[in-house]
PDB file of all heavy atoms in Angstrom:
ATOM      1  N   ILE O  27     -26.656  -6.656 -51.119  1.00 86.00           N
ATOM      2  CA  ILE O  27     -26.781  -5.251 -50.717  1.00 86.00           C
ATOM      3  C   ILE O  27     -27.230  -4.395 -51.897  1.00 86.00           C
ATOM      4  O   ILE O  27     -28.139  -3.566 -51.771  1.00 86.00           O
ATOM      5  CB  ILE O  27     -25.441  -4.749 -50.138  1.00 86.00           C
ATOM      6  CG1 ILE O  27     -25.104  -5.500 -48.855  1.00 86.00           C
ATOM      7  CG2 ILE O  27     -25.502  -3.250 -49.885  1.00 86.00           C
ATOM      8  CD1 ILE O  27     -23.730  -5.203 -48.309  1.00 86.00           C
ATOM      9  N   ALA O  28     -26.607  -4.616 -53.068  1.00 84.00           N
ATOM     10  CA  ALA O  28     -26.991  -3.840 -54.256  1.00 84.00           C
ATOM     11  C   ALA O  28     -28.428  -4.121 -54.650  1.00 84.00           C
ATOM     12  O   ALA O  28     -29.174  -3.211 -55.014  1.00 84.00           O
ATOM     13  CB  ALA O  28     -26.040  -4.167 -55.419  1.00 84.00           C
ATOM     14  N   GLY O  29     -28.831  -5.370 -54.566  1.00 81.00           N
ATOM     15  CA  GLY O  29     -30.205  -5.709 -54.906  1.00 81.00           C
ATOM     16  C   GLY O  29     -31.209  -5.141 -53.930  1.00 81.00           C
ATOM     17  O   GLY O  29     -32.308  -4.730 -54.314  1.00 81.00           O
ATOM     18  N   TRP O  30     -30.817  -5.087 -52.654  1.00 83.00           N
ATOM     19  CA  TRP O  30     -31.714  -4.522 -51.640  1.00 83.00           C
ATOM     20  C   TRP O  30     -31.933  -3.034 -51.902  1.00 83.00           C
ATOM     21  O   TRP O  30     -33.048  -2.531 -51.752  1.00 83.00           O
ATOM     22  CB  TRP O  30     -31.098  -4.739 -50.260  1.00 83.00           C
ATOM     23  CG  TRP O  30     -31.893  -4.111 -49.157  1.00 83.00           C
ATOM     24  CD1 TRP O  30     -33.111  -4.495 -48.702  1.00 83.00           C
ATOM     25  CD2 TRP O  30     -31.501  -2.973 -48.387  1.00 83.00           C
ATOM     26  NE1 TRP O  30     -33.521  -3.663 -47.687  1.00 83.00           N
ATOM     27  CE2 TRP O  30     -32.556  -2.720 -47.465  1.00 83.00           C
ATOM     28  CE3 TRP O  30     -30.382  -2.140 -48.376  1.00 83.00           C
ATOM     29  CZ2 TRP O  30     -32.500  -1.677 -46.557  1.00 83.00           C
ATOM     30  CZ3 TRP O  30     -30.330  -1.112 -47.461  1.00 83.00           C
ATOM     31  CH2 TRP O  30     -31.383  -0.886 -46.570  1.00 83.00           C
ATOM     32  N   LYS O  31     -30.882  -2.354 -52.328  1.00 79.00           N
ATOM     33  CA  LYS O  31     -31.015  -0.923 -52.610  1.00 79.00           C
ATOM     34  C   LYS O  31     -31.866  -0.669 -53.856  1.00 79.00           C
ATOM     35  O   LYS O  31     -32.594   0.324 -53.931  1.00 79.00           O
ATOM     36  CB  LYS O  31     -29.639  -0.292 -52.786  1.00 79.00           C
ATOM     37  CG  LYS O  31     -28.829  -0.223 -51.492  1.00 79.00           C
ATOM     38  CD  LYS O  31     -27.480   0.431 -51.735  1.00 79.00           C
ATOM     39  CE  LYS O  31     -26.701   0.563 -50.430  1.00 79.00           C
ATOM     40  NZ  LYS O  31     -25.364   1.180 -50.649  1.00 79.00           N
ATOM     41  N   ASN O  32     -31.768  -1.566 -54.842  1.00 80.00           N
ATOM     42  CA  ASN O  32     -32.483  -1.378 -56.113  1.00 80.00           C
ATOM     43  C   ASN O  32     -33.744  -2.223 -56.230  1.00 80.00           C
ATOM     44  O   ASN O  32     -34.353  -2.281 -57.304  1.00 80.00           O
ATOM     45  CB  ASN O  32     -31.547  -1.694 -57.287  1.00 80.00           C
ATOM     46  CG  ASN O  32     -30.332  -0.800 -57.315  1.00 80.00           C
ATOM     47  OD1 ASN O  32     -30.406   0.387 -57.010  1.00 80.00           O
ATOM     48  ND2 ASN O  32     -29.187  -1.370 -57.666  1.00 80.00           N
ATOM     49  N   ASN O  33     -34.095  -2.873 -55.133  1.00 79.00           N
ATOM     50  CA  ASN O  33     -35.271  -3.750 -55.128  1.00 79.00           C
ATOM     51  C   ASN O  33     -35.157  -4.840 -56.198  1.00 79.00           C
ATOM     52  O   ASN O  33     -36.123  -5.148 -56.899  1.00 79.00           O
ATOM     53  CB  ASN O  33     -36.557  -2.940 -55.324  1.00 79.00           C
ATOM     54  CG  ASN O  33     -37.793  -3.715 -54.871  1.00 79.00           C
ATOM     55  OD1 ASN O  33     -37.701  -4.609 -54.018  1.00 79.00           O
ATOM     56  ND2 ASN O  33     -38.938  -3.409 -55.451  1.00 79.00           N
ATOM     57  N   GLU O  34     -33.965  -5.410 -56.322  1.00 80.00           N
ATOM     58  CA  GLU O  34     -33.710  -6.499 -57.260  1.00 80.00           C
ATOM     59  C   GLU O  34     -33.095  -7.675 -56.497  1.00 80.00           C
ATOM     60  O   GLU O  34     -32.650  -7.542 -55.363  1.00 80.00           O
ATOM     61  CB  GLU O  34     -32.757  -6.052 -58.376  1.00 80.00           C
ATOM     62  CG  GLU O  34     -33.298  -4.948 -59.260  1.00 80.00           C
ATOM     63  CD  GLU O  34     -34.355  -5.447 -60.243  1.00 80.00           C
ATOM     64  OE1 GLU O  34     -34.475  -6.693 -60.393  1.00 80.00           O
ATOM     65  OE2 GLU O  34     -35.045  -4.616 -60.840  1.00 80.00           O
ATOM     66  N   LYS O  35     -33.081  -8.849 -57.131  1.00 77.00           N
ATOM     67  CA  LYS O  35     -32.495 -10.037 -56.523  1.00 77.00           C
ATOM     68  C   LYS O  35     -31.315 -10.502 -57.383  1.00 77.00           C
ATOM     69  O   LYS O  35     -31.339 -11.573 -57.984  1.00 77.00           O
ATOM     70  CB  LYS O  35     -33.538 -11.135 -56.377  1.00 77.00           C
ATOM     71  CG  LYS O  35     -34.654 -10.779 -55.405  1.00 77.00           C
ATOM     72  CD  LYS O  35     -35.622 -11.925 -55.210  1.00 77.00           C
ATOM     73  CE  LYS O  35     -36.700 -11.563 -54.197  1.00 77.00           C
ATOM     74  NZ  LYS O  35     -37.662 -12.676 -53.987  1.00 77.00           N
ATOM     75  N   TYR O  36     -30.271  -9.655 -57.406  1.00 76.00           N
ATOM     76  CA  TYR O  36     -29.095  -9.994 -58.199  1.00 76.00           C
ATOM     77  C   TYR O  36     -28.449 -11.295 -57.730  1.00 76.00           C
ATOM     78  O   TYR O  36     -27.879 -12.043 -58.527  1.00 76.00           O
ATOM     79  CB  TYR O  36     -28.068  -8.866 -58.132  1.00 76.00           C
ATOM     80  CG  TYR O  36     -28.567  -7.530 -58.624  1.00 76.00           C
ATOM     81  CD1 TYR O  36     -28.426  -6.386 -57.851  1.00 76.00           C
ATOM     82  CD2 TYR O  36     -29.178  -7.411 -59.876  1.00 76.00           C
ATOM     83  CE1 TYR O  36     -28.874  -5.151 -58.302  1.00 76.00           C
ATOM     84  CE2 TYR O  36     -29.634  -6.177 -60.334  1.00 76.00           C
ATOM     85  CZ  TYR O  36     -29.477  -5.056 -59.537  1.00 76.00           C
ATOM     86  OH  TYR O  36     -29.931  -3.834 -59.983  1.00 76.00           O
ATOM     87  N   HIS O  37     -28.518 -11.547 -56.421  1.00 78.00           N
ATOM     88  CA  HIS O  37     -27.839 -12.718 -55.867  1.00 78.00           C
ATOM     89  C   HIS O  37     -28.495 -14.025 -56.270  1.00 78.00           C
ATOM     90  O   HIS O  37     -27.914 -15.100 -56.074  1.00 78.00           O
ATOM     91  CB  HIS O  37     -27.795 -12.623 -54.333  1.00 78.00           C
ATOM     92  CG  HIS O  37     -29.148 -12.652 -53.698  1.00 78.00           C
ATOM     93  ND1 HIS O  37     -29.991 -11.564 -53.726  1.00 78.00           N
ATOM     94  CD2 HIS O  37     -29.795 -13.634 -53.019  1.00 78.00           C
ATOM     95  CE1 HIS O  37     -31.107 -11.875 -53.087  1.00 78.00           C
ATOM     96  NE2 HIS O  37     -31.003 -13.115 -52.650  1.00 78.00           N
ATOM     97  N   GLU O  38     -29.720 -13.971 -56.829  1.00 78.00           N
ATOM     98  CA  GLU O  38     -30.388 -15.194 -57.254  1.00 78.00           C
ATOM     99  C   GLU O  38     -30.134 -15.518 -58.721  1.00 78.00           C
ATOM    100  O   GLU O  38     -30.663 -16.503 -59.240  1.00 78.00           O
ATOM    101  CB  GLU O  38     -31.893 -15.090 -56.993  1.00 78.00           C
ATOM    102  CG  GLU O  38     -32.241 -15.061 -55.512  1.00 78.00           C
ATOM    103  CD  GLU O  38     -33.740 -15.105 -55.267  1.00 78.00           C
ATOM    104  OE1 GLU O  38     -34.492 -15.312 -56.250  1.00 78.00           O
ATOM    105  OE2 GLU O  38     -34.165 -14.948 -54.115  1.00 78.00           O
ATOM    106  N   HIS O  39     -29.348 -14.690 -59.402  1.00 83.00           N
ATOM    107  CA  HIS O  39     -28.995 -15.008 -60.784  1.00 83.00           C
ATOM    108  C   HIS O  39     -28.136 -16.274 -60.786  1.00 83.00           C
ATOM    109  O   HIS O  39     -27.257 -16.450 -59.943  1.00 83.00           O
ATOM    110  CB  HIS O  39     -28.220 -13.857 -61.427  1.00 83.00           C
ATOM    111  CG  HIS O  39     -28.125 -13.960 -62.909  1.00 83.00           C
ATOM    112  ND1 HIS O  39     -27.235 -14.807 -63.534  1.00 83.00           N
ATOM    113  CD2 HIS O  39     -28.833 -13.351 -63.907  1.00 83.00           C
ATOM    114  CE1 HIS O  39     -27.373 -14.710 -64.843  1.00 83.00           C
ATOM    115  NE2 HIS O  39     -28.328 -13.829 -65.103  1.00 83.00           N
ATOM    116  N   PRO O  40     -28.381 -17.199 -61.730  1.00 84.00           N
ATOM    117  CA  PRO O  40     -27.666 -18.482 -61.694  1.00 84.00           C
ATOM    118  C   PRO O  40     -26.159 -18.351 -61.785  1.00 84.00           C
ATOM    119  O   PRO O  40     -25.424 -19.144 -61.179  1.00 84.00           O
ATOM    120  CB  PRO O  40     -28.243 -19.253 -62.895  1.00 84.00           C
ATOM    121  CG  PRO O  40     -28.895 -18.231 -63.751  1.00 84.00           C
ATOM    122  CD  PRO O  40     -29.351 -17.151 -62.833  1.00 84.00           C
ATOM    123  N   PHE O  41     -25.649 -17.349 -62.511  1.00 88.00           N
ATOM    124  CA  PHE O  41     -24.201 -17.203 -62.600  1.00 88.00           C
ATOM    125  C   PHE O  41     -23.611 -16.682 -61.287  1.00 88.00           C
ATOM    126  O   PHE O  41     -22.459 -16.982 -60.965  1.00 88.00           O
ATOM    127  CB  PHE O  41     -23.833 -16.298 -63.773  1.00 88.00           C
ATOM    128  CG  PHE O  41     -23.986 -16.971 -65.105  1.00 88.00           C
ATOM    129  CD1 PHE O  41     -25.027 -16.631 -65.955  1.00 88.00           C
ATOM    130  CD2 PHE O  41     -23.116 -17.976 -65.489  1.00 88.00           C
ATOM    131  CE1 PHE O  41     -25.179 -17.268 -67.175  1.00 88.00           C
ATOM    132  CE2 PHE O  41     -23.259 -18.616 -66.713  1.00 88.00           C
ATOM    133  CZ  PHE O  41     -24.296 -18.262 -67.559  1.00 88.00           C
ATOM    134  N   ALA O  42     -24.385 -15.926 -60.534  1.00 87.00           N
ATOM    135  CA  ALA O  42     -23.934 -15.519 -59.202  1.00 87.00           C
ATOM    136  C   ALA O  42     -23.891 -16.728 -58.268  1.00 87.00           C
ATOM    137  O   ALA O  42     -22.917 -16.930 -57.528  1.00 87.00           O
ATOM    138  CB  ALA O  42     -24.867 -14.443 -58.646  1.00 87.00           C
ATOM    139  N   LEU O  43     -24.953 -17.528 -58.302  1.00 87.00           N
ATOM    140  CA  LEU O  43     -24.979 -18.746 -57.487  1.00 87.00           C
ATOM    141  C   LEU O  43     -23.876 -19.707 -57.914  1.00 87.00           C
ATOM    142  O   LEU O  43     -23.265 -20.376 -57.080  1.00 87.00           O
ATOM    143  CB  LEU O  43     -26.349 -19.418 -57.608  1.00 87.00           C
ATOM    144  CG  LEU O  43     -27.541 -18.610 -57.092  1.00 87.00           C
ATOM    145  CD1 LEU O  43     -28.845 -19.308 -57.452  1.00 87.00           C
ATOM    146  CD2 LEU O  43     -27.445 -18.426 -55.585  1.00 87.00           C
ATOM    147  N   LEU O  44     -23.625 -19.764 -59.217  1.00 90.00           N
ATOM    148  CA  LEU O  44     -22.573 -20.625 -59.746  1.00 90.00           C
ATOM    149  C   LEU O  44     -21.208 -20.208 -59.215  1.00 90.00           C
ATOM    150  O   LEU O  44     -20.399 -21.054 -58.797  1.00 90.00           O
ATOM    151  CB  LEU O  44     -22.590 -20.557 -61.270  1.00 90.00           C
ATOM    152  CG  LEU O  44     -21.738 -21.553 -62.047  1.00 90.00           C
ATOM    153  CD1 LEU O  44     -22.234 -22.972 -61.835  1.00 90.00           C
ATOM    154  CD2 LEU O  44     -21.780 -21.213 -63.531  1.00 90.00           C
ATOM    155  N   ALA O  45     -20.950 -18.908 -59.210  1.00 90.00           N
ATOM    156  CA  ALA O  45     -19.669 -18.409 -58.705  1.00 90.00           C
ATOM    157  C   ALA O  45     -19.496 -18.739 -57.227  1.00 90.00           C
ATOM    158  O   ALA O  45     -18.423 -19.182 -56.793  1.00 90.00           O
ATOM    159  CB  ALA O  45     -19.577 -16.904 -58.934  1.00 90.00           C
ATOM    160  N   GLY O  46     -20.548 -18.522 -56.438  1.00 90.00           N
ATOM    161  CA  GLY O  46     -20.465 -18.826 -55.009  1.00 90.00           C
ATOM    162  C   GLY O  46     -20.232 -20.304 -54.752  1.00 90.00           C
ATOM    163  O   GLY O  46     -19.403 -20.684 -53.910  1.00 90.00           O
ATOM    164  N   THR O  47     -20.955 -21.158 -55.492  1.00 91.00           N
ATOM    165  CA  THR O  47     -20.802 -22.606 -55.325  1.00 91.00           C
ATOM    166  C   THR O  47     -19.404 -23.062 -55.706  1.00 91.00           C
ATOM    167  O   THR O  47     -18.763 -23.847 -54.993  1.00 91.00           O
ATOM    168  CB  THR O  47     -21.840 -23.344 -56.187  1.00 91.00           C
ATOM    169  OG1 THR O  47     -23.152 -22.954 -55.789  1.00 91.00           O
ATOM    170  CG2 THR O  47     -21.698 -24.849 -56.049  1.00 91.00           C
ATOM    171  N   LEU O  48     -18.895 -22.561 -56.833  1.00 92.00           N
ATOM    172  CA  LEU O  48     -17.559 -22.958 -57.292  1.00 92.00           C
ATOM    173  C   LEU O  48     -16.472 -22.514 -56.320  1.00 92.00           C
ATOM    174  O   LEU O  48     -15.577 -23.295 -55.972  1.00 92.00           O
ATOM    175  CB  LEU O  48     -17.300 -22.373 -58.676  1.00 92.00           C
ATOM    176  CG  LEU O  48     -17.672 -23.239 -59.873  1.00 92.00           C
ATOM    177  CD1 LEU O  48     -17.430 -22.487 -61.169  1.00 92.00           C
ATOM    178  CD2 LEU O  48     -16.908 -24.553 -59.862  1.00 92.00           C
ATOM    179  N   LEU O  49     -16.549 -21.261 -55.887  1.00 93.00           N
ATOM    180  CA  LEU O  49     -15.511 -20.750 -54.985  1.00 93.00           C
ATOM    181  C   LEU O  49     -15.482 -21.530 -53.674  1.00 93.00           C
ATOM    182  O   LEU O  49     -14.408 -21.899 -53.185  1.00 93.00           O
ATOM    183  CB  LEU O  49     -15.738 -19.268 -54.717  1.00 93.00           C
ATOM    184  CG  LEU O  49     -15.336 -18.319 -55.846  1.00 93.00           C
ATOM    185  CD1 LEU O  49     -15.788 -16.898 -55.538  1.00 93.00           C
ATOM    186  CD2 LEU O  49     -13.829 -18.350 -56.067  1.00 93.00           C
ATOM    187  N   ALA O  50     -16.655 -21.798 -53.108  1.00 93.00           N
ATOM    188  CA  ALA O  50     -16.707 -22.534 -51.844  1.00 93.00           C
ATOM    189  C   ALA O  50     -16.185 -23.956 -52.022  1.00 93.00           C
ATOM    190  O   ALA O  50     -15.395 -24.451 -51.199  1.00 93.00           O
ATOM    191  CB  ALA O  50     -18.142 -22.556 -51.317  1.00 93.00           C
ATOM    192  N   SER O  51     -16.612 -24.618 -53.089  1.00 93.00           N
ATOM    193  CA  SER O  51     -16.207 -26.008 -53.307  1.00 93.00           C
ATOM    194  C   SER O  51     -14.716 -26.113 -53.590  1.00 93.00           C
ATOM    195  O   SER O  51     -14.028 -26.985 -53.041  1.00 93.00           O
ATOM    196  CB  SER O  51     -17.014 -26.608 -54.459  1.00 93.00           C
ATOM    197  OG  SER O  51     -18.398 -26.561 -54.193  1.00 93.00           O
ATOM    198  N   VAL O  52     -14.209 -25.234 -54.447  1.00 93.00           N
ATOM    199  CA  VAL O  52     -12.776 -25.268 -54.774  1.00 93.00           C
ATOM    200  C   VAL O  52     -11.946 -24.977 -53.531  1.00 93.00           C
ATOM    201  O   VAL O  52     -10.901 -25.609 -53.306  1.00 93.00           O
ATOM    202  CB  VAL O  52     -12.459 -24.270 -55.905  1.00 93.00           C
ATOM    203  CG1 VAL O  52     -10.956 -24.087 -56.069  1.00 93.00           C
ATOM    204  CG2 VAL O  52     -13.082 -24.748 -57.215  1.00 93.00           C
ATOM    205  N   TRP O  53     -12.384 -24.053 -52.703  1.00 94.00           N
ATOM    206  CA  TRP O  53     -11.665 -23.742 -51.461  1.00 94.00           C
ATOM    207  C   TRP O  53     -11.600 -24.978 -50.561  1.00 94.00           C
ATOM    208  O   TRP O  53     -10.526 -25.336 -50.051  1.00 94.00           O
ATOM    209  CB  TRP O  53     -12.340 -22.598 -50.729  1.00 94.00           C
ATOM    210  CG  TRP O  53     -11.815 -22.382 -49.343  1.00 94.00           C
ATOM    211  CD1 TRP O  53     -12.344 -22.869 -48.180  1.00 94.00           C
ATOM    212  CD2 TRP O  53     -10.640 -21.659 -48.977  1.00 94.00           C
ATOM    213  NE1 TRP O  53     -11.581 -22.490 -47.110  1.00 94.00           N
ATOM    214  CE2 TRP O  53     -10.522 -21.748 -47.564  1.00 94.00           C
ATOM    215  CE3 TRP O  53      -9.681 -20.950 -49.699  1.00 94.00           C
ATOM    216  CZ2 TRP O  53      -9.486 -21.151 -46.871  1.00 94.00           C
ATOM    217  CZ3 TRP O  53      -8.632 -20.357 -49.003  1.00 94.00           C
ATOM    218  CH2 TRP O  53      -8.543 -20.459 -47.607  1.00 94.00           C
ATOM    219  N   VAL O  54     -12.749 -25.651 -50.364  1.00 94.00           N
ATOM    220  CA  VAL O  54     -12.792 -26.831 -49.495  1.00 94.00           C
ATOM    221  C   VAL O  54     -11.921 -27.947 -50.063  1.00 94.00           C
ATOM    222  O   VAL O  54     -11.136 -28.573 -49.333  1.00 94.00           O
ATOM    223  CB  VAL O  54     -14.249 -27.303 -49.316  1.00 94.00           C
ATOM    224  CG1 VAL O  54     -14.299 -28.698 -48.699  1.00 94.00           C
ATOM    225  CG2 VAL O  54     -15.016 -26.324 -48.441  1.00 94.00           C
ATOM    226  N   ILE O  55     -12.043 -28.205 -51.360  1.00 93.00           N
ATOM    227  CA  ILE O  55     -11.291 -29.302 -51.977  1.00 93.00           C
ATOM    228  C   ILE O  55      -9.793 -29.016 -51.951  1.00 93.00           C
ATOM    229  O   ILE O  55      -8.983 -29.889 -51.606  1.00 93.00           O
ATOM    230  CB  ILE O  55     -11.777 -29.528 -53.422  1.00 93.00           C
ATOM    231  CG1 ILE O  55     -13.233 -30.028 -53.407  1.00 93.00           C
ATOM    232  CG2 ILE O  55     -10.885 -30.518 -54.154  1.00 93.00           C
ATOM    233  CD1 ILE O  55     -13.903 -29.995 -54.764  1.00 93.00           C
ATOM    234  N   ARG O  56      -9.420 -27.794 -52.297  1.00 92.00           N
ATOM    235  CA  ARG O  56      -7.989 -27.437 -52.305  1.00 92.00           C
ATOM    236  C   ARG O  56      -7.407 -27.513 -50.891  1.00 92.00           C
ATOM    237  O   ARG O  56      -6.298 -28.009 -50.699  1.00 92.00           O
ATOM    238  CB  ARG O  56      -7.822 -26.027 -52.873  1.00 92.00           C
ATOM    239  CG  ARG O  56      -6.382 -25.558 -52.947  1.00 92.00           C
ATOM    240  CD  ARG O  56      -6.296 -24.184 -53.595  1.00 92.00           C
ATOM    241  NE  ARG O  56      -4.964 -23.628 -53.523  1.00 92.00           N
ATOM    242  CZ  ARG O  56      -3.969 -23.945 -54.330  1.00 92.00           C
ATOM    243  NH1 ARG O  56      -4.168 -24.829 -55.279  1.00 92.00           N
ATOM    244  NH2 ARG O  56      -2.779 -23.384 -54.214  1.00 92.00           N
ATOM    245  N   THR O  57      -8.139 -27.028 -49.896  1.00 92.00           N
ATOM    246  CA  THR O  57      -7.660 -27.083 -48.514  1.00 92.00           C
ATOM    247  C   THR O  57      -7.473 -28.520 -48.061  1.00 92.00           C
ATOM    248  O   THR O  57      -6.467 -28.877 -47.429  1.00 92.00           O
ATOM    249  CB  THR O  57      -8.651 -26.357 -47.586  1.00 92.00           C
ATOM    250  OG1 THR O  57      -8.795 -24.998 -48.005  1.00 92.00           O
ATOM    251  CG2 THR O  57      -8.158 -26.388 -46.146  1.00 92.00           C
ATOM    252  N   TYR O  58      -8.441 -29.372 -48.387  1.00 91.00           N
ATOM    253  CA  TYR O  58      -8.345 -30.784 -47.995  1.00 91.00           C
ATOM    254  C   TYR O  58      -7.153 -31.459 -48.674  1.00 91.00           C
ATOM    255  O   TYR O  58      -6.395 -32.185 -48.027  1.00 91.00           O
ATOM    256  CB  TYR O  58      -9.634 -31.505 -48.357  1.00 91.00           C
ATOM    257  CG  TYR O  58      -9.566 -32.990 -48.095  1.00 91.00           C
ATOM    258  CD1 TYR O  58      -9.813 -33.508 -46.820  1.00 91.00           C
ATOM    259  CD2 TYR O  58      -9.243 -33.883 -49.106  1.00 91.00           C
ATOM    260  CE1 TYR O  58      -9.725 -34.865 -46.577  1.00 91.00           C
ATOM    261  CE2 TYR O  58      -9.153 -35.241 -48.867  1.00 91.00           C
ATOM    262  CZ  TYR O  58      -9.405 -35.731 -47.608  1.00 91.00           C
ATOM    263  OH  TYR O  58      -9.314 -37.076 -47.361  1.00 91.00           O
ATOM    264  N   CYS O  59      -6.991 -31.237 -49.983  1.00 88.00           N
ATOM    265  CA  CYS O  59      -5.893 -31.878 -50.707  1.00 88.00           C
ATOM    266  C   CYS O  59      -4.538 -31.430 -50.170  1.00 88.00           C
ATOM    267  O   CYS O  59      -3.617 -32.242 -50.023  1.00 88.00           O
ATOM    268  CB  CYS O  59      -5.999 -31.575 -52.200  1.00 88.00           C
ATOM    269  SG  CYS O  59      -7.359 -32.418 -53.044  1.00 88.00           S
ATOM    270  N   ARG O  60      -4.412 -30.142 -49.868  1.00 88.00           N
ATOM    271  CA  ARG O  60      -3.146 -29.631 -49.350  1.00 88.00           C
ATOM    272  C   ARG O  60      -2.845 -30.199 -47.964  1.00 88.00           C
ATOM    273  O   ARG O  60      -1.711 -30.595 -47.674  1.00 88.00           O
ATOM    274  CB  ARG O  60      -3.174 -28.107 -49.310  1.00 88.00           C
ATOM    275  CG  ARG O  60      -1.826 -27.489 -48.958  1.00 88.00           C
ATOM    276  CD  ARG O  60      -1.807 -25.991 -49.196  1.00 88.00           C
ATOM    277  NE  ARG O  60      -2.824 -25.312 -48.422  1.00 88.00           N
ATOM    278  CZ  ARG O  60      -3.859 -24.649 -48.954  1.00 88.00           C
ATOM    279  NH1 ARG O  60      -4.002 -24.596 -50.262  1.00 88.00           N
ATOM    280  NH2 ARG O  60      -4.743 -24.043 -48.190  1.00 88.00           N
ATOM    281  N   ARG O  61      -3.864 -30.251 -47.095  1.00 87.00           N
ATOM    282  CA  ARG O  61      -3.650 -30.748 -45.740  1.00 87.00           C
ATOM    283  C   ARG O  61      -3.399 -32.257 -45.718  1.00 87.00           C
ATOM    284  O   ARG O  61      -2.574 -32.757 -44.949  1.00 87.00           O
ATOM    285  CB  ARG O  61      -4.864 -30.419 -44.863  1.00 87.00           C
ATOM    286  CG  ARG O  61      -4.649 -30.759 -43.389  1.00 87.00           C
ATOM    287  CD  ARG O  61      -5.833 -30.357 -42.548  1.00 87.00           C
ATOM    288  NE  ARG O  61      -7.025 -31.103 -42.915  1.00 87.00           N
ATOM    289  CZ  ARG O  61      -8.127 -30.568 -43.406  1.00 87.00           C
ATOM    290  NH1 ARG O  61      -8.188 -29.263 -43.609  1.00 87.00           N
ATOM    291  NH2 ARG O  61      -9.175 -31.310 -43.701  1.00 87.00           N
ATOM    292  N   SER O  62      -4.095 -32.983 -46.595  1.00 85.00           N
ATOM    293  CA  SER O  62      -3.970 -34.435 -46.610  1.00 85.00           C
ATOM    294  C   SER O  62      -2.861 -34.928 -47.525  1.00 85.00           C
ATOM    295  O   SER O  62      -2.619 -36.142 -47.600  1.00 85.00           O
ATOM    296  CB  SER O  62      -5.304 -35.068 -47.053  1.00 85.00           C
ATOM    297  OG  SER O  62      -6.353 -34.661 -46.203  1.00 85.00           O
ATOM    298  N   LYS O  63      -2.223 -34.001 -48.266  1.00 84.00           N
ATOM    299  CA  LYS O  63      -1.152 -34.354 -49.207  1.00 84.00           C
ATOM    300  C   LYS O  63      -1.630 -35.397 -50.217  1.00 84.00           C
ATOM    301  O   LYS O  63      -0.983 -36.421 -50.457  1.00 84.00           O
ATOM    302  CB  LYS O  63       0.084 -34.857 -48.454  1.00 84.00           C
ATOM    303  CG  LYS O  63       0.724 -33.794 -47.574  1.00 84.00           C
ATOM    304  CD  LYS O  63       1.943 -34.339 -46.855  1.00 84.00           C
ATOM    305  CE  LYS O  63       2.696 -33.227 -46.111  1.00 84.00           C
ATOM    306  NZ  LYS O  63       1.866 -32.526 -45.131  1.00 84.00           N
TER     307      LYS O  63
END
């Protein structure tokens, strides 16, 4: 949204992509480990 307003692609910065990838992966792995004990 911020990039759309400023005509920038903030979401394509590698550290932004890195944060999204890490959060999604950690969420999936933690959920699986907790459910599967």
Side-chain angles (χ1 to χ4, degrees):
I27 295 173
W30 176 70
K31 291 181 177 179
N32 300 322
N33 199 25
E34 297 285 347
K35 295 184 178 180
Y36 301 129
H37 64 285
E38 292 186 8
H39 194 282
F41 285 107
L43 297 172
L44 190 65
T47 300
L48 268 177
L49 284 172
S51 301
V52 169
W53 170 264
V54 167
I55 294 167
R56 181 177 172 80
T57 301
Y58 175 83
C59 289
R60 188 168 59 244
R61 187 177 64 243
S62 303
K63 296 180 173 58

